[in-house]
Amino acid sequence: MLIGSSIIQCSVTYDKKAIVVNGHRRILLSGSIHYPRSTPEMWEDLIKKAKDGGLDVIDTYVFWNGHEPSPGIYNFEGRYDLVRFIKTVQEVGLYVHLRIGPYVCAEWNFGGFPVWLKYVPGISFRTDNGPFKDAMQGFTHKIVQMMKDHQFFASQGGPIILSQIENEFGPILKGSSDHSYVNWAAKMAVGLNTGVPWVMCKEDDAPDPIINTCNGFYCDYFTPNKPYKPTMWTEAWTGWFTLFGGTIRKRPVEDLAFGVTRFIQNGGSYINYYMYHGGTNFGRTAGGPFITTSYDYDAPIDEYGLVQEPKYSHLKQLHQAIKQCESALVSSDATVTKLGRYGEAHVFSAGKGSCAAFLSNYHMNAPAKVVFNKRQYTLPAWSTSILPDCENVVYNTATVVSKTSNVEMVPSGSVVYSVARYDEDIATYGDRGTITALGLLDQINVTRDTNDYLWYITSVDIKESESFLRGGKLPTLTVDSAGHAVHVFVNGHFYGSAFGTRENRKVSFSAPVNLRGGANRVALLSVAVGLPNDGPHFETWATGVVGSVALHGLDEGNKDLSRQKWTYQVGLRGEALNLISPTEASSVDWIKGSLAKQNKQPFTWYKAYFDSPSGNEPLALDLESMGKGQAWINGESLGRYWTAIAKGNCGSCNYAGPYRQANCQSGCGEPTQRWYHVPRSWLKPRGNLLVLFEELGGDISKVSVVKRSSVH
Ligand code: GAL
């Protein structure tokens, strides 16, 4: 803290009850806001809203692959300006929990690992492995040093009160016995002498002095691994993430608040909402496969930075009620008494007659009338009432008084003009590909994930004597890919596409194809839709056409093409021409006028302009009329788009009862993601360049810029 001109150092320790700041046990309320998921221009407003919502701490992961895109080449600019983000939190007056990882999961590409790390000789991720440990230590050290250089640790007078090393290694550990890696990671982190505590989440055997913490929809069952550590919940999931083709998952705030009170009444003293603001997976940062560009997460602050009601205010009121109980909560363990069959009272006292009570009803359908301290209370089903003086109810988790936001995407008045089209070269592109190999190569081995697209091209000789050439049944081409999508072309003709899912990344394509006598060109455009971020050794999972490619039904039977010569071309022609760049976009012959908008042709680049809409409401691109691809504005990537229709189970949503991701789905039968956040700070008043690459076919004339309006 900076008071006057002197830096006041702050001590952060812990005991069995709580994190202890400057000698005071604290009930700390925290929220995750990941800095690269919004723009620096949005940060201050988001953090102020978090403070106003009653939070004490902002929690963020550190995103290694964003900071070190190539070995030794660092990026701490723009959305990756970590120092500016932490400074902003400090200026607003909140603390920071810095979850360095550097494995972060987070539905982030490759779980935050740079893809080049996979190619360090002899490496094995997240194990007791020399090359991995060297790299992990190097990055962790760099971040800690950077924070120290800015006096950012609380021990130096800065806002960082906690740091995390690793992330949910426990579930991985179960399958191995890699305690030595955990012990090494703990020792390495502690050895960095930050002067503030370290945590490991979901890591039951986190060695002292590291605090093991809980992540989940509920954590009231959780106790840390030593009696002298505080009970901390590092991820209280406020909603859930979204997959292209999946539904939107919402978590009712009544249940979230009930989860929080249950945790607190059982002795919990630190809660972090994951996410408090989810934001946007700009560019190719989404993990995967198939994580959407929106990372809204049903969080209290929505993707666009607007408060989402009633979630935001209902939690704010909860925070106020909890803070009224703080001194009692940190001073004593609860005395628990039964209140009828489904009820419980947890009573805390701070001495001198001070008393706080949490009265809970665990029944999923029925309210309970209970007597506590000779008074009658009615508790709605599945709820807790908070009585900071053991007498008056100031809050009940199931009683929502805030209004619900009425969110609409409204026309902005800004039209998209000067539409032009450029057809991606699918007939000959890749013929002079840079790599030739016998057999099928893993996509990421070739692209190093610099790009979503990889062409696999080969030639097949067909004998003039084949009977299908004289009216017989056409042969069938089959393609097995490890994922995530593939578009199939023969002799420049498009035969169709196949897509995997997150659960089953494998893709199979099969269709009759029209071949000619002599040489035929088979070209497969393989598409990665975000690299996996989760699962044991996900870095070893294959991507691309590594299965079999074969022709069936020839006179000789089947012809396996998998082992023959293939040519590889990374990326699209339009990318090589840098069509997304405002300076390069005019370097090719675009098709203009009405022809540009004609027919829903796949594999097409579109370029158009729009003026910045007036006002300051957040903006989005409405891409409902498009299929699948990527979008750029003034050279900045909005992310992947895909209007795949959401399939799921959109039944009713009841707040009561244990919440699971499948409980409250919405959006069935509509595109999973229709709107794509356009940060205002990317725009200039006139002539903003919009570029789309469309894989499936869309109608550019219906694309528009809309404003997000939220009234409550
Ligand atoms: C947790 C993980 C987070 C995030 C979350 C799901 O297990 O620690 O990084 O992936 O799941 O949103």
Side-chain angles (χ1 to χ4, degrees):
M1 296 288 141
L2 196 61
I3 296 182
S5 60
S6 60
I7 304 266
I8 310 290
Q9 289 178 358
C10 155
S11 89
V12 184
T13 55
Y14 63 80
D15 67 12
K16 65 178 173 138
K17 290 297 293 179
I19 296 289
V20 179
V21 184
N22 285 335
H24 297 286
R25 288 176 173 164
R26 295 293 313 277
I27 300 288
L28 291 172
L29 304 166
S30 167
S32 289
I33 300 179
H34 295 156
Y35 51 97
R37 285 177 154 146
S38 52
T39 56
E41 291 75 10
M42 294 168 69
W43 291 344
E44 187 181 342
D45 181 57
L46 295 173
I47 296 161
K48 281 187 169 158
K49 282 176 174 149
K51 186 180 187 189
D52 193 47
L55 298 193
D56 308 293
V57 185
I58 300 297
D59 162 306
T60 182
Y61 283 129
V62 177
F63 298 87
W64 188 357
N65 52 10
H67 291 304
E68 198 178 353
S70 319
I73 310 289
Y74 292 98
N75 171 21
F76 288 94
E77 304 287 315
R79 292 198 304 280
Y80 292 96
D81 193 342
L82 175 59
V83 166
R84 174 166 167 188
F85 182 76
I86 300 206
K87 238 184 220 151
T88 312
V89 180
Q90 183 173 30
E91 279 158 12
V92 174
L94 296 181
Y95 296 128
V96 172
H97 176 191
L98 196 66
R99 303 174 79 193
I100 299 177
Y103 167 63
V104 299
C105 193
E107 291 70 70
W108 190 260
N109 197 48
F110 222 39
F113 286 129
V115 170
W116 55 258
L117 195 64
K118 174 175 163 158
Y119 299 97
V120 170
I123 206 160
S124 172
F125 285 15
R126 303 176 78 199
T127 54
D128 195 353
N129 162 276
F132 178 76
K133 290 191 296 184
D134 284 350
M136 173 166 164
Q137 176 161 13
F139 181 72
T140 308
H141 179 265
K142 180 169 180 82
I143 294 299
V144 166
Q145 194 52 49
M146 182 178 264
M147 299 298 104
K148 283 187 182 174
D149 291 347
H150 287 88
Q151 314 283 316
F152 275 162
F153 287 103
S155 50
Q156 304 173 290
I160 303 176
I161 55 163
L162 286 169
S163 294
Q164 179 179 299
I165 194 76
E166 249 294 339
N167 189 75
E168 295 197 336
F169 190 69
I172 301 285
L173 186 65
K174 269 194 196 125
S176 70
S177 57
D178 216 350
H179 296 277
S180 53
Y181 166 63
V182 175
N183 290 338
W184 168 82
K187 211 165 154 204
M188 183 273 284
V190 173
L192 295 172
N193 294 318
T194 59
V196 300
W198 287 89
V199 306
M200 280 183 164
C201 63
K202 270 204 181 170
E203 179 50 73
D204 291 344
D205 75 344
D208 286 1
I210 298 203
I211 310 165
N212 65 309
T213 66
C214 181
N215 293 345
F217 287 116
Y218 306 96
C219 277
D220 40 302
Y221 58 86
F222 174 79
T223 44
N225 62 14
K226 294 285 166 50
Y228 42 81
K229 294 181 185 177
T231 304
M232 297 175 63
W233 186 0
T234 33
E235 289 181 26
W237 296 328
T238 53
W240 201 243
F241 59 83
T242 313
L243 299 170
F244 284 120
T247 49
I248 309 294
R249 310 298 170 102
K250 303 225 171 220
R251 182 172 187 194
V253 69
E254 296 91 327
D255 175 65
L256 176 58
F258 186 47
V260 170
T261 53
R262 279 164 55 170
F263 180 68
I264 298 272
Q265 70 186 13
N266 284 314
S269 56
Y270 183 100
I271 292 160
N272 174 64
Y273 296 103
Y274 187 99
M275 302 294 298
Y276 196 73
H277 168 256
T280 310
N281 295 316
F282 294 113
R284 301 174 53 254
T285 61
F290 304 122
I291 303 280
T292 52
T293 293
S294 167
Y295 197 63
D296 180 82
Y297 220 90
D298 195 30
I301 303 179
D302 74 15
E303 176 182 5
Y304 295 82
L306 303 176
V307 298
Q308 201 220 138
E309 298 293 14
K311 207 166 228 180
Y312 176 85
S313 291
H314 193 54
L315 293 177
K316 174 176 175 163
Q317 289 145 18
L318 167 66
H319 303 153
Q320 287 163 344
I322 290 173
K323 284 296 162 95
Q324 287 182 52
C325 307
E326 185 172 16
S327 68
L329 288 168
V330 297
S331 306
S332 65
D333 290 333
T335 306
V336 186
T337 49
K338 288 296 266 177
L339 299 173
R341 234 176 114 192
Y342 295 99
E344 246 172 28
H346 287 71
V347 180
F348 298 84
S349 113
K352 296 182 234 115
S354 120
C355 167
F358 285 56
L359 310 185
S360 294
N361 173 17
Y362 300 102
H363 198 288
M364 288 193 256
N365 311 312
K369 280 201 171 21
V370 300
V371 175
F372 172 72
N373 277 351
K374 300 193 187 116
R375 286 168 181 256
Q376 265 227 353
Y377 297 88
T378 303
L379 305 172
W382 198 252
S383 81
T384 304
S385 286
I386 301 180
L387 294 64
D389 57 358
C390 278
E391 212 175 295
N392 294 295
V393 175
V394 298
Y395 182 83
N396 174 270
T397 56
T399 310
V400 176
V401 291
S402 331
K403 292 210 177 93
T404 301
S405 304
N406 182 7
V407 181
E408 271 183 300
M409 301 308 247
V410 295
S412 70
S414 165
V415 290
V416 165
Y417 56 85
S418 300
V419 173
R421 185 182 106 201
Y422 172 80
D423 298 337
E424 175 64 23
D425 179 2
I426 49 175
T428 58
Y429 194 54
D431 277 351
R432 288 173 303 282
T434 41
I435 301 166
T436 301
L438 279 183
L440 295 163
L441 302 178
D442 179 273
Q443 177 159 347
I444 306 306
N445 285 358
V446 183
T447 64
R448 298 291 162 114
D449 197 41
T450 52
N451 195 292
D452 276 1
Y453 302 100
L454 179 64
W455 283 104
Y456 290 71
I457 298 161
T458 196
S459 177
V460 193
D461 269 322
I462 294 295
K463 290 193 198 114
E464 298 289 352
S465 59
E466 281 289 345
S467 31
F468 78 84
L469 291 174
R470 284 180 300 282
K473 198 171 161 225
L474 289 180
T476 299
L477 174 67
T478 59
V479 178
D480 288 329
S481 160
H484 309 136
V486 66
H487 304 298
V488 178
F489 304 84
V490 177
N491 296 331
H493 179 80
F494 175 48
Y495 276 90
S497 314
F499 306 94
T501 62
R502 186 164 162 98
E503 291 71 37
N504 181 12
R505 299 177 303 280
K506 293 214 167 80
V507 174
S508 298
F509 174 89
S510 172
V513 288
N514 205 349
L515 301 168
R516 55 185 174 226
N520 292 267
R521 181 182 188 269
V522 173
L524 311 173
L525 181 60
S526 180
V527 191
V529 193
L531 299 188
N533 57 278
D534 197 11
H537 285 291
F538 61 79
E539 79 276 13
T540 61
W541 302 355
T543 311
V545 187
V546 289
S548 97
V549 180
L551 277 171
H552 306 261
L554 298 171
D555 288 347
E556 67 198 79
N558 298 344
K559 192 176 172 78
D560 181 8
L561 310 182
S562 319
R563 290 193 186 82
Q564 63 181 45
K565 193 175 113 189
W566 287 82
T567 300
Y568 295 86
Q569 173 72 54
V570 178
L572 306 166
R573 162 92 77 195
E575 289 174 302
L577 293 169
N578 204 11
L579 296 186
I580 61 163
S581 146
T583 49
E584 304 291 322
S586 38
S587 64
V588 298
D589 283 334
W590 292 84
I591 303 165
K592 298 197 180 106
S594 56
L595 274 180
K597 298 183 196 170
Q598 250 175 26
N599 65 29
K600 295 190 163 195
Q601 186 175 291
F603 312 106
T604 304
W605 291 85
Y606 292 102
K607 153 178 114 148
Y609 294 87
F610 65 94
D611 296 337
S612 189
S614 59
N616 42 28
E617 304 92 329
L619 302 175
L621 208 54
D622 181 351
L623 294 180
E624 193 186 21
S625 64
M626 303 304 289
K628 175 182 184 300
Q630 290 179 45
W632 295 264
I633 284 178
N634 295 334
E636 299 268 5
S637 171
L638 284 191
R640 301 185 182 99
Y641 70 83
W642 195 354
T643 49
I645 299 296
K647 288 198 199 84
N649 191 354
C650 295
S652 60
C653 172
N654 180 0
Y655 80 86
Y659 178 78
R660 297 287 168 264
Q661 291 93 323
N663 281 15
C664 292
Q665 302 179 37
S666 61
C668 291
E670 293 163 23
T672 303
Q673 190 177 351
R674 169 176 173 184
W675 292 288
Y676 294 79
H677 180 202
V678 178
R680 282 250 180 209
S681 59
W682 291 5
L683 302 184
K684 49 189 183 176
R686 312 235 164 282
N688 296 288
L689 171 67
L690 165 67
V691 176
L692 301 176
F693 175 64
E694 171 59 50
E695 287 171 36
L696 306 179
D699 182 353
I700 181 85
S701 65
K702 299 211 173 76
V703 168
S704 66
V705 181
V706 295
K707 290 181 175 179
R708 186 168 177 91
S709 125
S710 175
V711 185
H712 35 256

